[in-house]
Amino acid sequence: MNREPLSVAHRLLDEQILDSEGRRCGRVDDIELRGNPPRVTALLVGEGLYPRRLPARLRGLARRLAGPERWGANALRIPWEEVDEIGASVVLRGKAEELGLGGGDNPERWLVRRLPWN
Amino acid sequence: MKSILKIALGIIAALGGFLDIGDIVFNTQAGALFRYDLLWAVALGTLGIAVYAEMCGRVAAVTGRPVFDVIRMRLGFGLGLAALIASTAVNLLTVAAELGGLAIVLQLLFDAEFSLFVVLAAIGLVIVVALLPFGGIERLFGYCGLLMIVFVATAINQGPDWGAVAHGFIPSFSSSTLYLYFVVGVFAAALMPYEVHFYSSGAVEEHWDESSLMENRLNAIIGYALGGVLACSLVVVSGYLFHPLGVDPADLGTAALPVQNAYGETGLLLALGGIMFCVGGAAVDSSFSASYNLAQFLGWEWGRYRGPKKAPRFTASWLVFLFLAMLVVLSGINPVEITEYSVVFAVVALPMTYLPVLLIAGDRSFMGDHANGPVSRTLGWAYFALILVLATAALPLLLATNGGGG
Amino acid sequence: MQSRRRRPGVAATAVALGVSLILLSGCGDLSRDELTRGVESIAALAAQGQLVANGVARDGTKSTYARVMAKTLGGEAEHEAEKLADAEPSPQVRPERNAAVQVATELAGLFSELQTFPGDEHHGALVEKHMGEVEAQAEALVERLGGDAG
């Protein structure tokens, strides 16, 4: 199951992502399609991808708020091979930290460490 | 046997948690202004929330998807974001209204500076939420909200013309814009969006699955129907006492006056206590809803059951929302006015959060055998049409009646 | 650029002036209908006040509740009095307007008393009785205003 057809791509977009431990770690914000006929090669996750999901007129404002796409920081690429199963959520084979996901809830992040209960 | 008891307790909690400040304000005013003539609108709204909540609960139980998961999936990022912004704004207004109402009740009981009670109320809610698990929070506010039954007792005690009361359940129309405004208001107060955001997320918090579908249905049918009785009793009690006197209940304390009149100090304390828990519970529910929606839309970890360490952004956002609501109340706007705005804007935003759920609930590829049957489908679509009409009429009526001022 | 901007500006100013003139002239005039509404709400406040006072009189209420309610309702009565006093009544209803202000002020005073003695049954009974009289006065005023129609 190296690549999946376009119809699956539509079903995948905007789905919740769970890691192998059942932790919620983002949603499928965009999909990478390669080849002819196009097939899904990766899931794309992160706030950096929000501007491209918005209508053209709002994109400028969104980019100023969300910042530019910084791959590895606010835009992450999850290769298709990492996907374990697709149900009400997309479940991944690995753990969130390994894939760089769920960073916002990561206890190591500086803001999260400053919260009173941490 | 254990499950019957559990279901019964769930229904009781749903009943006790049914009313919030919007219901109290609008139903009391409706009774005072129009006596029993708006009871049909209360009943219509009650049936509406029962239908909507049952669908949301069913979707969450079968698919594990609460409302804003459905919205993001069905509407996509752009439209979903619009729905999120609208819902968050409405929910924030609602939290402010409930928090303000809670402070008013505390002031009626303990008579000190209003702003002090606003801060104390907010702190109190944080403590309750921090100390109790999700189920405990719901049970606390739900069971104590049952004190509102004193309003039913008051209605019976007053001995109104039951024929006239029954007549109020027959829909009647008037060209009076004030009447129409209250039709929208009373209906909208019963169908506040945060209620279903909370209910569907709560289904996930309590790990509902297909075995919970019976509980879901009974909550909707029995729990909310009985809740509707409570809501109607507010109208009757106010209509009986205030309508002949021409009183316009412009403040929350007036809602308890009929109970004080009938039962003296004990009645008053029961009524104020009931209002306190209803409104306090609603403050928790609506603030949680704001956080649920945000976290679910963005894919964050969420839920009281995860705890603050595993869901830090969700928890932090909840505190921020509560704080912002507190600021709104402290700004000095009358909580009753905030309530009126929150209810009217809620119905305007309602179609956006209602339609995706309706579509998914009827979609067999998601729901399998549990997709909408003929009853849910008919009622679901009928209410959607009704909601569209009310959502369009709400703002013009608000302006035309000068905010219900007449 | 300048000349194209000027015309809409002038038109807008004229409209704004016209609208404000209409609004301002309307604001001043207290019509019979508005006055009747004002007096009716005074009567309603008095009725509500009686219920609160009655609770105090028979020791059937919490004093904090009575005090806060008296404060809120008293504020509304005062607000009504000020509103009526500030408005410019049409000449036929001037005497009724003055009477209404007096009634509203008296009512506000009664609420003040209730606020000061929210636990005192004797005072509560007195306030209740006086509020009943105020309510009757207000209702008589409404009759007068309705009767003088045309």
Side-chain angles (χ1 to χ4, degrees):
Chain A
M1 208 173 61
N2 202 24
R3 291 153 175 231
E4 282 302 307
L6 204 52
S7 54
V8 178
H10 190 252
R11 174 76 178 70
L12 279 176
L13 194 58
D14 291 316
E15 284 291 21
Q16 176 77 57
I17 299 174
L18 298 179
D19 76 353
S20 54
E21 295 176 325
R23 270 188 61 198
R24 297 184 182 98
C25 44
R27 300 191 82 107
V28 179
D29 295 313
D30 207 344
I31 296 185
E32 184 188 85
L33 298 164
R34 294 264 162 85
N36 194 357
R39 285 172 174 269
V40 179
T41 49
L43 305 176
L44 306 176
V45 183
E47 307 89 61
L49 298 157
Y50 292 163
R52 42 159 109 167
R53 298 292 307 278
L54 291 171
R57 255 173 306 151
L58 295 171
R59 239 170 254 164
L61 171 66
R63 239 178 260 289
R64 251 175 292 150
L65 291 172
E69 269 174 35
R70 285 172 287 127
W71 287 95
N74 68 4
L76 297 162
R77 184 180 180 274
I78 312 296
W80 181 249
E81 299 73 50
E82 294 294 337
V83 175
D84 191 9
E85 60 174 285
I86 304 172
S89 319
V90 177
V91 185
L92 302 176
R93 287 186 210 282
K95 289 203 273 201
E97 306 89 65
E98 293 161 12
L99 297 159
L101 289 171
D105 287 320
N106 190 330
E108 301 306 304
R109 280 286 211 70
W110 73 269
L111 185 62
V112 175
R113 253 184 297 146
R114 271 161 179 64
L115 291 169
W117 53 86
N118 272 345
Chain B
M1 284 306 110
K2 177 196 173 224
S3 58
I4 291 184
L5 180 64
K6 183 167 161 283
I7 291 181
L9 290 175
I11 291 174
I12 291 174
L15 164 62
F18 187 80
L19 295 173
D20 72 354
I21 194 173
D23 302 302
I24 296 172
V25 166
F26 271 91
N27 289 345
T28 305
Q29 285 186 331
L33 291 170
F34 300 105
R35 217 173 64 144
Y36 313 129
D37 290 348
L38 280 167
L39 283 173
W40 65 272
V42 179
L44 196 64
T46 304
L47 178 59
I49 187 72
V51 167
Y52 190 17
E54 191 279 331
M55 271 196 300
C56 290
R58 187 163 20 105
V59 170
V62 170
T63 68
R65 297 175 189 276
V67 173
F68 259 84
D69 182 303
V70 173
I71 287 181
R72 171 103 194 234
M73 188 208 19
R74 207 65 180 61
L75 295 181
F77 185 82
L79 275 180
L81 184 62
L84 177 68
I85 293 173
S87 297
T88 305
V90 169
N91 279 340
L92 259 180
L93 262 184
T94 308
V95 182
E98 312 284 353
L99 198 58
L102 187 51
I104 291 178
V105 175
L106 289 173
Q107 196 183 29
L108 289 167
L109 288 169
F110 304 114
D111 194 18
E113 191 59 46
F114 176 71
S115 339
L116 174 66
F117 284 125
V118 175
V119 177
L120 284 180
I123 293 176
L125 291 178
V126 173
I127 293 176
V128 168
V129 168
L131 290 178
L132 293 174
F134 181 85
I137 299 170
E138 280 315 283
R139 280 192 295 274
L140 169 68
F141 288 107
Y143 295 160
C144 295
L146 288 175
L147 291 172
M148 293 299 276
I149 292 180
V150 73
F151 280 89
V152 180
T154 305
I156 298 173
N157 176 282
Q158 284 173 338
D161 175 1
W162 291 107
V165 172
H167 194 77
F169 283 98
I170 303 169
S172 58
F173 291 97
S174 158
S175 55
S176 146
T177 43
L178 192 63
Y179 181 82
L180 293 174
Y181 170 76
F182 272 94
V183 169
V184 175
V186 158
F187 181 91
L191 249 175
M192 295 290 281
Y194 80 83
E195 296 179 39
V196 293
H197 299 159
F198 186 81
Y199 186 68
S200 70
S201 304
V204 177
E205 291 258 21
E206 310 222 271
H207 312 293
W208 276 18
D209 56 20
E210 290 183 19
S211 65
S212 320
L213 288 178
M214 175 57 73
E215 180 177 1
N216 176 51
R217 194 147 273 180
L218 290 175
N219 271 350
I221 298 176
I222 305 180
Y224 287 5
L226 291 178
V229 171
L230 284 183
C232 289
S233 71
L234 287 172
V235 176
V236 172
V237 147
S238 164
Y240 179 86
L241 185 62
F242 293 142
H243 183 79
L245 300 173
V247 170
D248 186 5
D251 60 282
L252 193 58
T254 311
L257 198 49
V259 184
Q260 180 235 274
N261 198 40
Y263 293 118
E265 187 169 353
T266 317
L268 177 67
L269 289 174
L270 291 175
L272 289 177
I275 295 176
M276 185 172 82
F277 283 103
C278 281
V279 169
V284 172
D285 292 2
S286 47
S287 53
F288 263 56
S289 292
S291 295
Y292 282 143
N293 295 349
L294 184 66
Q296 286 159 15
F297 182 81
L298 294 175
W300 296 348
E301 190 53 86
W302 61 267
R304 177 74 185 83
Y305 72 112
R306 287 282 197 235
K309 292 209 168 127
K310 294 235 182 79
R313 285 181 296 185
F314 167 75
T315 313
S317 74
W318 179 67
L319 289 168
V320 168
F321 285 134
L322 198 58
F323 182 72
L324 288 176
M326 194 176 78
L327 290 182
V328 172
V329 186
L330 289 175
S331 73
I333 316 175
N334 186 339
V336 171
E337 258 184 71
I338 303 177
T339 303
E340 288 169 2
Y341 289 129
S342 75
V343 169
V344 171
F345 289 129
V347 74
V348 175
L350 190 57
M352 258 190 297
T353 55
Y354 184 92
L355 183 61
V357 174
L358 177 61
L359 291 172
I360 295 299
D363 190 331
R364 291 192 150 257
S365 66
F366 283 99
M367 302 290 290
D369 285 333
H370 302 294
N372 282 344
V375 176
S376 294
R377 209 181 322 136
T378 318
L379 285 175
W381 284 104
Y383 268 100
F384 180 63
L386 182 57
I387 287 170
L388 276 180
V389 170
L390 294 178
T392 331
L395 283 178
L397 283 173
L398 176 73
L399 293 170
T401 60
N402 192 26
Chain C
M1 222 45 198
Q2 264 313 87
S3 58
R4 256 215 350 228
R5 285 260 196 85
R6 235 199 309 157
R7 255 188 252 123
V10 167
T13 318
V15 169
L17 261 177
V19 169
S20 9
L21 275 173
I22 296 171
L23 283 178
L24 283 171
S25 61
C27 261
D29 238 2
L30 186 68
S31 71
R32 180 185 298 274
D33 277 339
E34 281 162 7
L35 181 57
T36 310
R37 266 202 298 271
V39 178
E40 279 172 346
S41 56
I42 295 171
L45 283 170
Q48 235 188 307
Q50 281 174 79
L51 290 169
V52 179
N54 175 266
V56 175
R58 59 189 171 112
D59 194 23
T61 191
K62 201 167 188 310
S63 61
T64 50
Y65 177 78
R67 187 188 301 132
V68 176
M69 289 295 286
K71 189 164 165 203
T72 314
L73 296 172
E76 283 172 39
E78 244 183 75
H79 175 75
E80 197 61 50
E82 283 166 16
K83 215 172 65 179
L84 292 174
D86 281 342
E88 196 43 53
S90 36
Q92 316 106 292
V93 294
R94 186 176 287 272
E96 282 82 1
R97 190 284 300 257
N98 294 342
V101 173
Q102 212 175 353
V103 168
T105 316
E106 203 182 318
L107 185 60
L110 286 169
F111 276 120
S112 232
E113 233 184 277
L114 200 57
Q115 224 188 310
T116 322
F117 301 102
D120 187 321
E121 289 153 49
H122 179 64
H123 253 100
L126 276 177
V127 167
E128 188 187 356
K129 180 158 150 288
H130 290 312
M131 281 195 181
E133 290 161 10
V134 165
E135 189 190 357
Q137 281 175 355
E139 275 164 7
L141 253 181
V142 172
E143 287 261 336
R144 243 166 74 191
L145 284 165
D148 286 357

